[in-house]
Structure formats: structure tokens, C-alpha cells
Amino acid sequence: MSELLQFLFSGVTVGAVYALVALGFTIIYNASDVVNFAQGEFVMLGGMITWFAHQAGIPLPVAAFLAISITAAIGVAMNKLAIEPARGAPIVSLIIITIGASIFLQGAAQLVFDKQIHDFPAFSGDAPIRVGGATILPQSLWVIGGALAVFVGLWIFFTRTLLGRAVLATSNNRLAAQLVGINTNFVMTLSFALSAGIGALAGVLATPITLTAYNVGIAFALKGFAGAMLGGMGNPKGALVGGFLIGLIEALTAGYLSSQYKDAAAFVVILLVLFVRPQGLFGRKSTDRV
Amino acid sequence: MLEVEGLRSRYGRIEVLHGVDLKVSQGEIVTVVGANGAGKTTLLRCLSGVQPVSGGRISFQGQPLTGVPAWKRPARGLTQSPEGRQIFGNLTVEENLRLGAWNFKDERVGKDMEDAFQMFPILREKRNLAAGGLSGGQQQMLAMARALMGRPACLLLDEPSMGLAPIIVQQIFDVVESLRGRGVTVLLVEQNAFGALRIADRGYVMENGRIAMQGAAAELIADPRIREAYLGI
Ligand SMILES: Nc1ncnc2c1ncn2[C@@H]1O[C@H](COP(=O)(O)OP(=O)(O)O)[C@@H](O)[C@H]1O
Ligand SMILES: [Mg+2]
């Protein structure tokens, strides 16, 4: 019993990271229908820049803030330099561009930083908290709290603010969005900034547990993508639930089968979703697009 | 209010507007009629800035629109209800209307929405439903109401009657005519030449990217060539 609880704790912890990545996918997808496979690199950058700044003597909270800001700026640059010029190209081409950007960011991180594995101290110490025969790290609570807070923030943004609706309107009908006066390029810039910032936040929160290195991005991207698919692409609630579910499935697979199959779990989920329920758990059937 | 001179536009290498001249004065309802493919939609797309212009000039309220991006034009008083409605299908009727007033945050937004509901009562009934679920006629009403929420000095309407039942067409033309009383200038593009000319002050006939004829609406309706070519009489 306590063994199961332990697996669940670790599943919820990584699941929260995947949920944050999935939420990042959701924002850019909502604004542009593009699945941004560089999303995982934002997580990597969040962790790596924080580590770099921290070991250079900058206090951790400031380092984290810097990392999130710089990553958001990198997201904006990626949109301006790689996505915006290709506007009008088929979605598949844009997705391939994001894969290219992902490879580029990984290479750049390897050059600017190094190839080593890094971490920085947990925010509230390393003393495990005992709950019902199992233990959970204080940092896990930070990660879970971060995912929930971002979800609530995004939910309010998309359903309660005019700017959030403008993002949805832009994805639904870019022409009509322009005709009512929405600066659709700004909406894209904003989406990339938000999405990259949230990815970086995931890296900042997770690194004390998962560690970081120049090449951790791909795994985060794939699992976050699996979470977003499972929940229903474009739906923040789906991203949250899907991300947590992927984390749990992974932890239970590792616990009861073998940790060798852990990474396969996300792939199996992607395939199952594609075959059984392409719109995901919370997704609408393909909406009318004009 | 709106002046177009020698306007040219192309899709890729194919020019579809070959120098269009057109003028709309304050308070007028002006219609551009013409067969499918004549270039009417392209003209309105140029006016709204969502289509590149390759020659000529457009000025609105005395100022050139050259180089003004599409998203800044509604704030200048130029809004459009585009061909094919182009409503935000995944948002509610009310959200569509609210976004129509994107540039505004004052109390008048609520008042304008109330006006829109009075103009098209069916939209009030459906205000909380996803706009994608509306019928074609209702979507057309929503597209027009959304464009009016932007407080246009000049409203561009692209084929509001397309594909609709005669009774709905009548309702929509009645609303367009009523805009005269609200001080909104209208440029109405239509294939339904008879319906459009009946409510317009002046009309232009567009053929293959050029203005082929122009004049007072009443004269155009009476013109034998137009009666034969466009009114089927
Ligand atoms: N997106 C497009 N790409 C290429 N050609 C187009 C496009 N849209 C319209 N055209 C062409 O431009 C011409 C004018 O079209 P349009 O402005 O839509 O006419 P109308 O609105 O009067 O029916 C037509 O010959 C049409 O085939
Ligand atoms: Mg047309």
C-alpha cells in the first residue's frame, strides 16, 4: 500500500511537470494551430539558465526570474525569426520548423553552457515529508502547486479576459480577428512569450528533482505532447489532466513493470489516443473551421 | 469619405483589379454589383488591408490608408462584414460581439450590444451559444452586428445575402437601409444586384476587375443593359 502511494507521489510530481509542458503546447496551439515541438527546450533553458546564473553567484529567486524572462524572450525571437516569416505555409511545415528550432536551441545550449548534468538547491530544503507510509519531497509540492497555479491563471485568461478571447479568436479565424482590429502578430508574440515562460517555469521548479542538461528537452516535449493529446489538444483542462495522467502512468509502469518501459508509456498513450479517441478526453470533435 | 483611385491588386502573378476608381461620400449607401469573380471581394479586402495593393491609392476620411496595417483600420472607422461571414465559431455570440468592439472599453460597448440585439433579436436568444452552431442567416446577422460593434464611420459589407432565404435577405437589406439613419456610411458588395440597387443611392458595376458602369442606383436599375445582364429581366 505504501509502495503504491510512493509511486503515486512520484507520478504526480513528474505529471505536474508534464502538465506545465502540455499547457505550454496548448497556448501556442490555441493561437496558431501549431504544435510547438521546441516546448521541451524552454524547460531545458529554464533549468540551465537558472543553474548558470545561480552558480555565478546570483541569488536563486533572481536567477529563476532571469531564466524565465530570457526564455520568454527566446520564445518571442523564435516566433519572429522562424514562424512569422513562414506564415501562410502549411501547418505541417510550421511544425517541422519548430523541430528545427528545437535542435538549434539544444545545440546552442551545449555551446553556451556545457554537456554536464546540473542542478541547484531545492527551494524549501530536502527533508522528505512523511505521508501515510510514503514520502514526498517539499520540491514536489512546489512543482504541483506551480502547475495548478499556472492552470488557474490560464483558465482565467482564456475565459474571463478580452485578451484571452482575442487569442482564441485569432486561432479560430485570423482574417476575422484582423478585421475587428486585433493585432494578430502581437497575439502570436504574446503566445510564444507566455508559452516559453511557462516552459521555463517548469524547468525551474523541476530541476532540483529531475536535474537538467542541454539534452533533457526532447523527453519533456514528447511527454508533454502525450499529455496534451490525451487531454485534448488546445484545452487547458485537458492539458492539466493529461499531463498528470502521463506522469502517473509512467510512474506505475516504472514501479510495477520495469523502469525500462517507463519512456515507452508516453508513446503507447499517443498511439492509443490516435486510434481510439483522436480528440482526447476533453477535446471537441474537430470544430468548424471556415 | 472613401476614395479609391487606380487600385490594382494581384494574387501571385495574376492581376485581378486593373485600376479601380470609386468614391463613397459621407452618409451614402453605395453598392458594387457584378458577377462572381469580378473582383468585388478583392476590392473590399484591399480596403480593409488584408490584401496587398500593387498600385493606386486608397484614402479614407482624407487620409491615405497606404501602409496602415489591417488591424489599425477599424480604429480609424472602417470595419467589414466579410464574405462567408467568418464568425468566430468556437466563441459564443456575445463573445463575437464583444470582440467586434475590441478597440473599446467604455460603457457604450454594452449599449451597442443592446442595439445589436434590438436589430437582430434572434442573436439575443442565442447570445450564450457557440456561434458555429447558428444557421447561415443568423451567422450573417452576427457578422454584420460584429462589424457594427466596431463603431464604423463606414461599413463594408461583402455579399450579406449570399445563400440565404428570401425572407432573411429582405430582413438584412432592411437593416442595411436603416443604417442610413444611424449615420453609418455603407459600401455594399452584392451579386444580388436588384436587392442592392433598390436600397442604394449609387451603384458601380464591376466586370473583370474594372468598373464598367456607374451611376445613381435608380438609373442603373432602369438601364436596359443592366436589366439584361444582372437583373435577369
Ligand atoms: N485566394 C485567391 N487566389 C487566387 N486567385 C483568387 C483568390 N481569390 C480570388 N481570386 C481570383 O480573383 C478574381 C476576383 O475574385 P473575387 O474578388 O473573389 O471576386 P468576387 O468577389 O467579385 O466574386 C477571380 O478571378 C478569382 O478567381
Ligand atoms: Mg466575392
Side-chain angles (χ1 to χ4, degrees):
Chain A
M1 192 56 210
S2 68
E3 190 187 53
L4 173 63
L5 195 59
Q6 194 61 58
F7 295 151
L8 292 182
F9 281 166
S10 82
V12 171
T13 304
V14 284
V17 182
Y18 300 159
L20 281 168
V21 180
L23 286 166
F25 273 116
T26 302
I27 298 166
I28 291 181
Y29 182 81
N30 270 348
S32 65
D33 286 344
V34 172
V35 177
N36 171 32
F37 278 103
Q39 193 62 34
E41 308 315 323
F42 298 150
V43 183
M44 177 274 290
L45 288 169
M48 290 295 274
I49 298 173
T50 307
W51 158 74
F52 187 78
H54 182 60
Q55 56 91 40
I58 296 175
L60 195 51
V62 181
F65 177 77
L66 271 179
I68 292 170
S69 311
I70 292 172
T71 307
I74 290 173
V76 169
M78 174 182 157
N79 175 48
K80 287 280 172 213
L81 301 176
I83 305 288
E84 215 173 275
R87 173 73 19 226
I91 294 293
V92 179
S93 312
L94 293 174
I95 292 173
I96 291 170
I97 289 176
T98 70
I99 295 175
S102 158
I103 295 167
F104 170 81
L105 288 173
Q106 209 183 109
Q110 189 179 338
L111 282 176
V112 174
F113 307 113
D114 57 20
K115 289 190 179 185
Q116 311 301 312
I117 294 172
H118 300 288
D119 69 350
F120 42 82
F123 304 169
S124 308
D126 294 312
I129 304 165
R130 297 201 67 83
V131 184
T135 60
I136 190 164
L137 290 170
Q139 191 67 24
S140 292
L141 301 180
W142 275 98
V143 183
I144 297 164
L148 294 177
V150 167
F151 167 73
V152 171
L154 285 180
W155 188 79
I156 291 172
F157 178 65
F158 280 122
T159 63
R160 293 279 177 272
T161 72
L162 193 57
L163 184 56
R165 292 208 191 83
V167 174
L168 296 177
T170 299
S171 104
N172 188 233
N173 194 318
R174 176 173 291 263
L175 168 70
Q178 286 180 301
L179 290 179
V180 299
I182 295 167
N183 181 350
T184 53
N185 281 339
F186 170 74
V187 166
M188 286 295 290
T189 301
L190 176 78
S191 306
F192 271 86
L194 256 182
S195 181
I198 289 171
L201 174 71
V204 168
L205 295 174
T207 296
I209 300 174
T210 61
L211 312 185
T212 191
Y214 77 97
N215 62 356
V216 297
I218 291 176
F220 282 123
L222 277 173
K223 283 145 188 199
F225 176 66
M229 287 274 295
L230 177 59
M233 207 34 135
N235 182 323
K237 189 168 55 177
L240 185 80
V241 174
F244 275 114
L245 281 176
I246 296 290
L248 285 169
I249 292 168
E250 207 178 275
L252 293 175
T253 308
Y256 289 115
L257 286 173
S258 154
S259 57
Q260 281 184 317
Y261 295 135
K262 186 180 77 137
D263 289 331
F267 288 101
V268 173
V269 170
I270 292 178
L271 289 177
L272 275 180
V273 171
L274 281 176
F275 282 123
V276 179
R277 201 178 155 82
Q279 76 274 30
L281 294 174
F282 297 93
R284 291 167 296 234
K285 287 244 165 65
S286 67
T287 47
D288 58 323
R289 298 223 168 259
V290 221
Chain B
M1 150 159 291
L2 180 67
E3 285 171 39
V4 178
E5 276 176 36
L7 185 69
R8 292 173 180 274
S9 183
R10 52 180 72 232
Y11 291 98
R13 297 162 76 173
I14 302 170
E15 188 174 86
V16 298
L17 295 185
H18 315 288
V20 172
D21 298 303
L22 173 147
K23 229 170 148 168
V24 182
S25 306
Q26 172 88 39
E28 275 190 311
I29 298 180
V30 172
T31 184
V32 177
V33 299
N36 191 16
K40 306 180 298 297
T41 295
T42 307
L43 168 66
L44 291 198
R45 286 174 54 85
C46 289
L47 296 179
S48 282
V50 293
Q51 164 82 22
V53 167
S54 50
R57 48 183 291 279
I58 303 168
S59 78
F60 182 62
Q61 297 189 315
Q63 297 192 334
L65 286 182
T66 315
V68 177
W71 63 272
K72 284 189 177 164
R73 298 191 186 200
R76 296 216 174 178
L78 192 61
T79 68
Q80 179 177 166
S81 161
E83 181 174 85
R85 348 290 190 206
Q86 316 289 345
I87 47 118
F88 303 121
N90 59 349
L91 298 179
T92 66
V93 167
E94 193 168 330
E95 287 169 333
N96 270 267
L97 292 174
R98 182 62 191 87
L99 283 166
W102 168 250
N103 285 312
F104 306 107
K105 294 191 167 56
D106 51 19
E107 317 86 77
R108 204 183 130 187
V109 173
K111 202 188 133 295
D112 285 349
M113 199 176 296
E114 187 53 39
D115 279 358
F117 287 148
Q118 236 144 48
M119 209 178 271
F120 301 113
I122 187 74
L123 295 183
R124 189 198 303 275
E125 274 172 48
K126 310 248 172 184
R127 63 197 290 172
N128 293 317
L129 300 182
L134 299 183
S135 73
Q138 293 160 359
Q139 291 194 7
Q140 183 58 54
M141 293 174 193
L142 179 58
M144 283 175 59
R146 183 182 63 187
L148 284 168
M149 289 294 293
R151 303 178 195 172
C154 179
L155 174 68
L156 308 174
L157 285 171
D158 197 345
E159 304 240 21
S161 77
M162 193 198 272
L164 302 182
I167 182 159
I168 309 282
V169 171
Q170 191 51 52
Q171 190 188 348
I172 282 176
F173 279 141
D174 284 349
V175 167
V176 175
E177 202 172 7
S178 78
L179 293 176
R180 213 194 293 272
R182 294 167 173 262
V184 180
T185 304
V186 177
L187 179 57
L188 167 66
V189 153
E190 264 297 342
Q191 269 188 70
N192 177 351
F194 192 63
L197 286 170
R198 265 213 312 205
I199 59 166
D201 299 302
R202 291 189 303 114
Y204 292 85
V205 179
M206 199 165 182
E207 274 171 13
N208 301 318
R210 288 191 176 82
I211 299 297
M213 244 189 270
Q214 56 180 297
E219 284 169 20
L220 290 177
I221 286 191
D223 190 296
R225 285 165 297 175
I226 297 208
R227 293 178 78 85
E228 189 178 342
Y230 297 103
L231 306 179
I233 305 174

